[in-house]
Amino acid sequence: MAETKREIERKYESDDSGLPDLTGVPGVAAVLDKGVAELDATYYDTADARLSAASLTLRRRTGGSDEGWHLKFPVAPGVRDEIRAPLSDTLPRALAGLIRSHVRDAEVAPVVRLRSARDVRDLVDAEGRLLAEVSVDAVRADRLTADGGSAQWTEIEVELADGGDPDFLDKVDKRLRKAGVRPSRSASKLARALAETEPKRKKKGRPKARQDGKPASGASAAAASASGANASATPVTAGDHVLAYLRAQRDAIVQLDPAVRRDLPDSVHRMRVATRRTRSAFRSYAKVLDRAATDPIGEELKWLAGELGVDRDQEVLTDRLTAALDALPRPLVTGPVRNRLRTWARARSGGSRRRLIAVLDGKRYLALLDTLDRLVDEPPLLTAAAGAPQKVLAKAVRKDFGQVAALVEEALAQPPGADRDLALHDARKKAKRTRYSAETAAPALGGPAVDLVRLMKSLQGLLGDHQDSVMTREALRDLAAQAHAAGESAFTYGVLYAREERRAELAEAALPEAWETIGAAMEV
């Protein structure tokens, strides 16, 4: 069974002088010698270093109190989540799943072996509570791949105690710096080991220029400037901007995969949003990317978003119903309403998380990730991709906004009822797409696109509240029918239904003024 530990630590370079006296650190009453531990860790990665590129660390370590398999995820500078699994000969299944989006079908193999003699000290307060663990590590690193070298160094590591105040590390830092100890130039032992044991390579010559001396043109130029080799370059063409946006969404999907598997807050929602942003970019920028290539990918993204939405939609709906029930005065709650709501929610979500993990482990999902990689590395760019972003992107955004305007006007012309509800829902989806197309264009268009993102987000929120009310009322009708069939009072469900109906009416009443404000802002 894997467990998670939040690591908050700092690393320092040390010479042979050892650890400075830390009894003078404010709050430290004693420095306890805990002895020397012999640690032997083997670090794993793919042949093309996919884990290292994603700042992930996978190791199998013996020795010490926490021997076993460890997988580390970066959280913030100096902060990592370490997922631990018991010691075994092969990579535990729980950890293998957490790296699957990064490694896909590639094999993970030993890359570096680190053997450390760890001299440990505990910093404790006057009551004997642990504040931090300080260690002086004498490290030997051996590259396990062909032509690899070896390296040795000594470092000091200060790890905050569980639940400790991170500010305490600043106090230790001040004392160490005063004693001449320098912060480490490497983020981790692995990073330093990889750098210092890297096989020596011969220098390569510069790539040859075209013999005709002419630069690439048209879509070829956009493809060249947006290729993986130049992914960090400043976007120039319309194609550059669209691909930069798509690359960010691809990265988000891959990076959020482990968070979804760990069931971290909001991870499913954020991953689902990344799929929607990608699909929206395909549609909005059909003049930039060939739809013959992007449409099939869009269908696969729609499938993935649907699988991600099984849990998310039910969670949002249950939270809304629970909050509405909590807000009711006690006399208006008749019958076992809360029990029925819990039973209903469990029945609708039963097995959905297991299903989602099975989807993430499946071949169809991994094939989609590979397809997204190929898309951003070898983009199917059209002629417009080489155009000026101020022209190409602005035209696409204006087109999207025009479609939103038509749908909103159509909805406002409808009388209240199912037809208006459907029209408002369509307008909401189009507002979301316009927001995403404006996000893509914002780096090129600046203020106007940023303003449109803000306006569409506001409109999306208003229309979203209306749609949530529609869905909540459908759920309340279902709950009321179940209660009635069981001989229970349906009164409370009726009260909640009426309140939701009123919320929808308020949203519809606010729409004309909100839309007028948006229209005025767009004319400026």
Side-chain angles (χ1 to χ4, degrees), residues 235-245 281 284-289 384-401 434 436-446 449 452:
V236 176
T237 66
D240 289 341
H241 284 277
V242 173
L243 286 172
Y245 188 78
S284 296
Y285 296 104
K287 298 293 186 182
V288 174
L289 293 166
Q390 292 79 4
K391 179 180 179 181
V392 176
L393 304 185
K395 183 178 180 180
V397 173
R398 283 196 299 270
K399 180 180 178 181
D400 280 345
F401 180 75
T434 304
Y436 295 155
S437 67
E439 283 179 354
T440 307
L445 305 184
L452 183 57

Side-chain angles (χ1 to χ4, degrees), residues 10 186 361 397 436 456:
R10 299 186 188 181
S186 298
D361 284 339
V397 173
Y436 295 155
M456 290 299 98

Side-chain angles (χ1 to χ4, degrees), residues 86-279:
L87 196 63
S88 62
D89 292 335
T90 58
L91 177 62
R93 183 175 180 180
L95 300 192
L98 294 176
I99 62 173
R100 185 163 287 117
S101 66
H102 291 280
V103 304
R104 316 285 169 81
D105 293 326
E107 179 185 3
V108 291
V111 176
V112 169
R113 183 183 183 188
L114 294 183
R115 283 167 285 183
S116 305
R118 170 164 288 183
D119 190 359
V120 182
R121 308 284 198 282
D122 281 353
L123 306 184
V124 298
D125 63 14
E127 297 180 2
R129 289 189 297 256
L130 179 65
L131 300 173
E133 179 185 277
V134 182
S135 63
V136 180
D137 295 344
V139 185
R140 175 183 171 86
D142 295 293
R143 175 82 67 145
L144 300 179
T145 54
D147 301 324
S150 299
Q152 296 186 56
W153 70 87
T154 301
E155 71 177 36
I156 295 174
E157 184 177 292
V158 184
E159 182 175 345
L160 189 69
D162 292 345
D165 182 359
D167 290 342
F168 176 70
L169 295 183
D170 291 335
K171 300 174 183 178
V172 178
D173 180 84
K174 184 176 180 180
R175 177 69 185 89
L176 290 174
R177 288 174 183 263
K178 188 175 181 179
V181 176
R182 307 174 305 280
S184 177
R185 290 169 290 182
S186 298
S188 66
K189 287 184 177 67
L190 177 60
R192 182 166 182 173
L194 290 173
E196 296 191 11
T197 65
E198 184 178 13
K200 294 181 179 180
R201 292 184 173 87
K202 296 180 180 180
K203 293 184 178 180
K204 297 181 180 180
R206 293 184 178 182
K208 296 180 179 180
R210 284 181 50 153
Q211 292 185 1
D212 58 10
K214 296 179 181 180
S217 60
S220 298
S225 65
S227 67
N230 296 305
S232 61
T234 302
V236 176
T237 66
D240 289 341
H241 284 277
V242 173
L243 286 172
Y245 188 78
L246 290 174
R247 191 173 290 111
Q249 306 318 312
R250 185 276 313 270
D251 291 348
I253 293 171
V254 171
Q255 291 164 8
L256 284 166
D257 176 296
V260 170
R261 293 172 184 270
R262 295 168 60 195
D263 202 19
L264 297 185
D266 209 35
S267 58
V268 171
H269 172 63
R270 290 166 58 205
M271 189 174 182
R272 192 182 186 192
V273 167
T275 68
R276 287 172 168 170
R277 283 180 164 137
T278 305
R279 290 180 64 217

